[in-house]
Amino acid sequence: MEERMEALIDGFEKNRNAAAAVFRFSSALMHCLCGLLATMQNTGIDATAIQELKRELKRETRLFSPLRGIAMPALLTQLSMNDHGTQMLDKMLKAYRLLREEGFLGTDYLPLPTYILARNEVDMALCRKTREIYLSMRENKKFLTGGDDTGFAALLAVYTDTPQTASELSLRAYSPLLKRFGARNETWLMSHILAFDAERIETNAESLIALFERLKADKVRFRGMESPILAVLTLLNIEERDAGEIARLSMELRARKGFSRWTLSNEQRNLCAAALLALSKIQGKESSRETRKLLYVLITTALVTLTTATIQAASAAAAQ
């Protein structure tokens, strides 16, 4: 295993376990998400900063605010990695208020676009553009579009010229993916991810399908909310021949503290392995706007998929 990848796994293990200590009452999936977020941004879990921001967040929000819900550990982790965490929190609260004014419901998913927009110059125009993109998603695929699409709607608002462009790009990607994956929620999410490389949408869709088939043949499963990470890999030109590396990384993680089969499913651990492989490719690129965009796509995919999986697990447990 190359030195960079070994360092990433070591850092991820350390960050995941630090997140478990800070967020003791959160799920194992949320611990993994927080650990990934810190590792992706080449830093560690800062327990002191997180606790200070948590107190500030509680002062500024009501008890049942979604900002204090299931996604709160991920939000606090992100905020703690910013040199101006309190100012970032203020921007996030502004973005949340504007998104509510634009018509978004205050669900557990709303913190996702809130933070993504807060990384930019938050104003009504950007929030309205996010809302228009989301409404276009619903118009195109009413039964597939839900709260988990809001994060990608926000990122597409940042990186595409118009809501119409974002909609057209997602539909272009969806068409070839539909034939293999069917009309599923994760198919629609993968389409949003492929939309970030407008010039290679069809090629990337073919590569994604080939990678999925190779992984399936090797019994490395990606199902449901775990599969969108494969779309990020194709943006990075990680193809079928790289499938074995994902399997090796997953087995390496399985031997580490916090990643056993008793803590995570095989699919969830495979997602983490794929995210680390994507991160290693991004770190190997020269710094540029395109590289930063790829990193934000990776971060957003981790936020959306693992938060959604956490929400689904909590809903299933409450229904029992």
Side-chain angles (χ1 to χ4, degrees):
M1 183 180 299
E2 67 177 57
E3 186 175 339
R4 178 193 298 160
M5 184 56 71
E6 187 171 358
L8 283 178
I9 292 179
D10 289 343
F12 181 31
E13 179 185 23
K14 180 180 178 180
N15 284 331
R16 181 267 168 208
N17 294 329
V22 176
F23 304 111
R24 290 178 297 169
F25 300 107
S26 296
S27 69
L29 272 176
M30 187 54 64
H31 298 156
C32 283
L33 174 56
C34 294
L36 267 178
L37 293 173
T39 307
M40 286 173 183
Q41 292 165 83
N42 196 31
T43 187
I45 297 291
D46 188 334
T48 301
I50 287 172
Q51 293 301 339
E52 291 176 355
L53 287 163
K54 184 177 182 179
R55 286 191 290 270
E56 183 67 20
L57 179 61
K58 287 187 173 181
R59 279 195 295 267
E60 297 293 335
T61 57
R62 296 180 178 180
L63 177 60
F64 295 107
S65 168
L67 297 177
R68 292 169 60 175
I70 288 176
M72 184 173 70
L75 289 179
L76 292 173
T77 299
Q78 288 284 83
L79 290 171
S80 71
M81 292 183 286
N82 192 288
D83 292 336
H84 306 284
T86 302
Q87 295 177 23
M88 192 67 175
L89 175 59
D90 291 340
K91 291 180 67 175
M92 192 179 74
L93 293 170
K94 178 183 178 181
Y96 180 77
R97 185 181 71 253
L98 292 175
L99 287 172
R100 291 296 302 272
E101 290 177 7
E102 282 299 310
F104 281 103
L105 298 177
T107 68
D108 283 325
Y109 290 102
L110 196 54
L112 305 182
T114 294
Y115 182 80
I116 292 165
L117 294 181
R119 293 187 63 98
N120 299 271
E121 292 302 319
V122 181
D123 56 23
M124 181 60 80
L126 187 58
C127 292
R128 182 169 294 128
K129 185 179 178 182
T130 299
R131 180 63 174 171
E132 290 175 0
I133 291 174
Y134 178 74
L135 290 177
S136 180
M137 290 176 177
R138 288 197 63 183
E139 182 179 353
N140 289 323
K141 302 296 173 188
K142 179 179 179 180
F143 298 107
L144 298 181
T145 303
D148 49 349
D149 295 275
T150 58
F152 288 112
L155 200 62
L156 285 166
V158 174
Y159 282 106
T160 55
D161 295 332
T162 66
Q164 291 73 26
T165 299
S167 177
E168 291 169 2
L169 292 174
S170 288
L171 284 174
R172 272 180 58 196
Y174 180 77
S175 182
L177 295 179
L178 174 65
K179 298 175 183 178
R180 174 58 186 86
F181 299 107
R184 299 176 180 274
N185 187 40
E186 56 267 25
T187 309
W188 194 219
L189 292 178
M190 287 190 286
S191 301
H192 304 330
I193 296 168
L194 295 188
F196 288 98
D197 187 357
E199 296 181 358
R200 300 176 62 248
I201 284 180
E202 287 78 15
T203 301
N204 283 337
E206 293 176 3
S207 297
L208 190 161
I209 293 169
L211 177 60
F212 177 85
E213 296 292 0
R214 173 61 184 273
L215 289 164
K216 182 180 178 182
D218 292 344
K219 295 183 169 46
V220 182
R221 303 290 184 179
F222 284 82
R223 299 172 179 170
M225 290 309 299
E226 289 81 22
S227 54
I229 191 67
L230 299 181
V232 182
L233 297 185
T234 60
L235 294 185
L236 293 163
N237 298 319
I238 296 173
E239 299 178 346
E240 181 182 356
R241 63 179 181 272
D242 300 298
E245 181 66 12
I246 298 174
R248 286 191 291 274
L249 291 174
S250 186
M251 289 302 295
E252 175 65 24
L253 282 176
R254 183 173 174 174
R256 302 293 185 105
K257 181 181 178 181
F259 300 99
S260 71
R261 61 181 179 178
W262 308 111
T263 306
L264 298 176
S265 69
N266 289 333
E267 291 82 3
Q268 291 163 354
R269 191 171 54 254
N270 291 341
L271 187 160
C272 293
L276 290 178
L277 179 59
L279 180 59
S280 72
K281 296 294 184 181
I282 291 172
Q283 290 183 342
K285 294 178 175 290
E286 293 185 3
S287 179
S288 66
R289 186 175 187 273
E290 180 66 21
T291 302
R292 289 193 297 273
K293 181 180 77 170
L294 289 169
L295 179 61
Y296 294 150
V297 172
L298 175 59
I299 290 171
T300 301
T301 301
L303 276 168
V304 170
T305 55
L306 289 172
T307 299
T308 299
T310 303
I311 292 171
Q312 291 174 347
S315 298
Q320 292 178 355

